[in-house]
Amino acid sequence: MVDMETLVSLCKRRGFVFQSSEIYGGINGFWDFGPVGCELKRRVKDNWWRTMVQWREDVVGLDTSIIAHPQTWVASGHVEAFSDPMVDCKKCKKRFRLDEITTKVCPECGGELTDPKKFNLMFQTHVGATQDAESIAYLRPETCQSIFTEFKNVQTVSRLKIPFGIAQIGKAFRNEITPRNFIFRSREFEQMELEFFCHPKESKKWYEYWVQSRYDWFLSIGVRKENLRLRPHAKDELAHYASGCTDVEFQMPFGWSELEGIADRGNFDLSQHAKFSGKDLDYYNEETKERFIPAVVETSVGVDRTCLALMIDAYHEEEVKGEKRVVMRFHPSIAPYQAAVFPLSGKLREPAVKLEKELRKYFTADYDEAGSIGKRYRRHDEIGTPYCITYDFQSEEDHAVTVRNRDTMQQDRVAVDQLVRYLSDKFVG
Ligand code: GAP
């Protein structure tokens, strides 16, 4: 398995991920996705959205604001309880999460530690011109709370009947005490969350359904089975309102780690928001004349963590003719670029660009004319482009191009007018 240092260096060199604000010395816990990384991220999000919303009749989407009414976070319990106990070193002033240290003295310098203090992980800001206790607001630490507060609006306009879900992709912020492991634990990240509302009697059934279906999704985007596992939470790990929770975990270089949590949350969230807002968040079933607060099954996955898992899983080194070849073996459905077009010589730019433009209508495509063909292959192997297409002098005569397969390195000669069909078949198959 690739070590983190090698991966972080590849990410920088090839434009997957940069340290945020690098020219100012960086800012801990924040990352920028470069031209290749943002394509990967976008494809992961598109894939999730297609699976969870576009292909389903029982789920609709939502895109809510990052800052919500501060009462939201009182009702959800975050103002009171979204905190980690932490200790400070009296000597070197470093701060640690209590659950992450095993010694009673500072793990850095051996100094004396303070008593544990609660540290709320929500970022605070002020809304409006005055900065006082009244104007405090929070950057959301998870995207799901606005799904609950918009439940009634969405249900009314979409006229969906229970069971149904509301999905959202968006940024979340947590002032993590110890951001670490590259993009695994950062202070700004993206979540893809689904809240699935059902009759309380059916929540166990839906919980089991979603655990399986989320596990299958990771396999469908190419995560290797041996690196993926489901870990049901023990009773003492569960939040008091939850009756079940399972993590989808991935084997990272630093151990098995959570990518996604699936939880049967009962009706806790809707009940809390009904209580704090004084608004009715019940659901009325016209057929059975039953009125009840729906139960919720949640699926919550981090985009950044998924990208990290995909990159670790895809990383592959091999020796070809005495030289090291690094290949990112991304599944074609999430590869940042699906195809790249190379003119053999600068003289062939015009027809090669024309071909690239045509391919861009159907695929994510790149164009590269810098350096030898070998160098261009190496670059595209390292960003995981499944098919590289070379337009050569012969192409002018036979109207065909050479298509090179990233994994097998085999080359096919394909007629230009058959190329879209040829590639489409590869991506489907
Ligand atoms: N609404 C439930 C919720 O937010 P969570 O387990 O705290 O649950 C869900 O977060 C997912 O969000 C995690 O499984 C992880 O993928 C991602 N996530 C959470 N904190 C993160 C962080 N600091 N950096 C990157 N991703 C994070």
Side-chain angles (χ1 to χ4, degrees):
M1 183 181 288
V2 60
D3 59 76
M4 290 304 282
E5 209 182 312
T6 308
L7 187 75
V8 172
S9 139
L10 173 86
C11 280
K12 177 167 181 194
R13 188 157 38 88
R14 290 303 184 199
F16 283 94
V17 181
F18 307 124
Q19 188 183 20
S20 167
S21 323
E22 194 187 81
I23 62 165
Y24 290 106
I27 170 164
N28 199 10
F30 297 90
W31 300 94
D32 293 336
F33 281 72
V36 177
C38 77
E39 288 293 339
L40 175 66
K41 216 176 175 194
R42 199 181 55 77
R43 302 206 63 185
V44 167
K45 289 190 281 184
D46 285 353
N47 200 303
W48 186 88
W49 194 264
R50 270 201 306 278
T51 311
M52 303 296 276
V53 183
Q54 188 183 328
W55 291 341
R56 299 188 65 101
E57 288 169 354
D58 57 354
V59 177
V60 290
L62 191 64
D63 186 355
T64 65
S65 63
I66 283 170
I67 294 179
H69 193 291
Q71 275 298 99
T72 309
W73 308 108
V74 178
S76 68
H78 284 79
V79 168
E80 175 59 29
F82 192 55
S83 55
D84 282 337
M86 49 108 197
V87 288
D88 291 317
C89 172
K90 291 182 184 169
K91 198 165 143 206
C92 71
K93 309 288 178 211
K94 286 234 165 78
R95 177 165 282 184
F96 305 95
R97 252 169 70 171
L98 186 63
D99 60 347
E100 282 179 354
I101 54 172
T102 48
T103 50
K104 289 207 158 45
V105 291
C106 174
E108 295 276 327
C109 76
E112 197 189 337
L113 298 172
T114 60
D115 288 337
K117 268 186 280 192
K118 268 188 170 183
F119 175 79
N120 196 296
L121 300 186
M122 283 195 293
F123 279 103
Q124 275 192 17
T125 187
H126 290 273
V127 172
T130 49
Q131 297 212 346
D132 55 22
E134 295 295 296
S135 64
I136 290 178
Y138 305 95
L139 304 192
R140 65 183 178 199
E142 57 179 15
T143 59
C144 62
Q145 291 304 324
S146 319
I147 297 183
F148 300 127
T149 56
E150 289 293 359
F151 167 73
K152 204 76 187 196
N153 277 337
V154 175
Q155 200 261 322
T156 309
V157 298
S158 59
R159 287 174 291 131
L160 280 164
K161 293 195 167 61
I162 268 169
F164 74 90
I166 305 177
Q168 166 155 242
I169 300 179
K171 288 266 186 174
F173 303 81
R174 297 183 190 178
N175 197 2
E176 299 281 358
I177 300 169
T178 43
R180 58 163 68 178
N181 293 328
F182 194 30
I183 53 174
F184 182 81
R185 187 184 303 287
S186 51
R187 289 178 166 143
E188 174 174 345
F189 53 96
E190 254 178 306
Q191 290 186 318
M192 306 187 282
E193 298 200 296
L194 167 79
E195 305 303 319
F196 197 78
F197 301 92
C198 60
H199 193 283
K201 282 193 187 137
E202 293 200 325
S203 72
K204 190 165 183 301
K205 178 183 96 183
W206 284 110
Y207 167 67
E208 282 162 10
Y209 166 86
W210 281 113
V211 169
Q212 187 60 43
S213 107
R214 296 304 305 145
Y215 177 80
D216 292 344
W217 180 75
F218 284 100
L219 296 181
S220 80
I221 58 169
V223 176
R224 274 179 288 168
K225 210 170 182 165
E226 62 269 28
N227 286 339
L228 203 64
R229 72 176 187 193
L230 288 171
R231 190 182 70 81
H233 283 206
K235 278 255 164 345
D236 61 358
E237 275 182 277
L238 293 175
H240 65 92
Y241 49 83
S243 53
C245 185
T246 296
D247 288 346
V248 182
E249 292 188 338
F250 179 82
Q251 189 159 31
M252 298 276 179
F254 43 88
W256 285 98
S257 311
E258 173 190 337
L259 298 180
E260 169 153 5
I262 300 109
D264 181 346
R265 299 172 66 102
N267 66 14
F268 175 77
D269 307 279
L270 287 179
S271 304
Q272 283 293 103
H273 288 297
K275 185 169 137 198
F276 279 78
S277 65
K279 298 284 181 330
D280 161 24
L281 297 178
D282 291 355
Y283 175 82
Y284 182 64
N285 184 331
E286 280 164 21
E287 278 150 44
T288 60
K289 309 284 177 223
E290 192 186 3
R291 185 176 288 283
F292 59 93
I293 301 182
V296 170
V297 175
E298 172 183 82
T299 75
S300 175
V301 57
V303 181
D304 313 70
R305 280 190 193 180
T306 303
C307 289
L308 179 61
L310 289 169
M311 291 192 287
I312 288 167
D313 215 61
Y315 188 94
H316 194 81
E317 274 180 21
E318 60 194 25
E319 216 180 273
V320 178
K321 294 186 194 139
E323 271 190 44
K324 187 171 90 173
R325 180 170 97 109
V326 174
V327 202
M328 294 296 267
R329 293 202 160 147
F330 290 122
H331 191 276
S333 69
I334 51 100
Y337 296 113
Q338 291 169 297
V341 178
F342 310 156
L344 185 65
S345 139
K347 291 186 189 131
L348 296 167
R349 179 179 298 156
E350 202 182 307
V353 167
K354 192 171 156 228
L355 179 61
E356 177 229 350
K357 281 212 169 111
E358 181 61 18
L359 292 184
R360 275 182 191 269
K361 290 185 196 159
Y362 309 94
F363 311 104
T364 49
D366 190 34
Y367 173 82
D368 194 351
E369 60 171 49
S372 67
I373 291 285
K375 268 211 172 114
R376 291 182 240 172
Y377 280 151
R378 269 203 294 285
R379 173 172 172 260
H380 276 277
D381 283 346
E382 286 197 353
I383 62 175
T385 309
Y387 296 97
C388 289
I389 297 143
T390 304
Y391 193 98
D392 54 27
F393 290 104
Q394 181 71 20
S395 308
E396 299 282 271
E397 312 285 320
D398 67 359
H399 305 290
V401 285
T402 301
V403 182
R404 183 251 203 189
N405 180 306
R406 174 194 71 196
D407 297 335
T408 62
M409 293 194 286
Q410 270 183 356
Q411 305 193 350
D412 276 351
R413 195 77 184 161
V414 180
V416 170
D417 61 4
Q418 291 300 311
L419 193 57
V420 168
R421 162 64 64 85
Y422 173 92
L423 291 174
S424 305
D425 288 350
K426 300 276 184 203
F427 291 129
V428 173

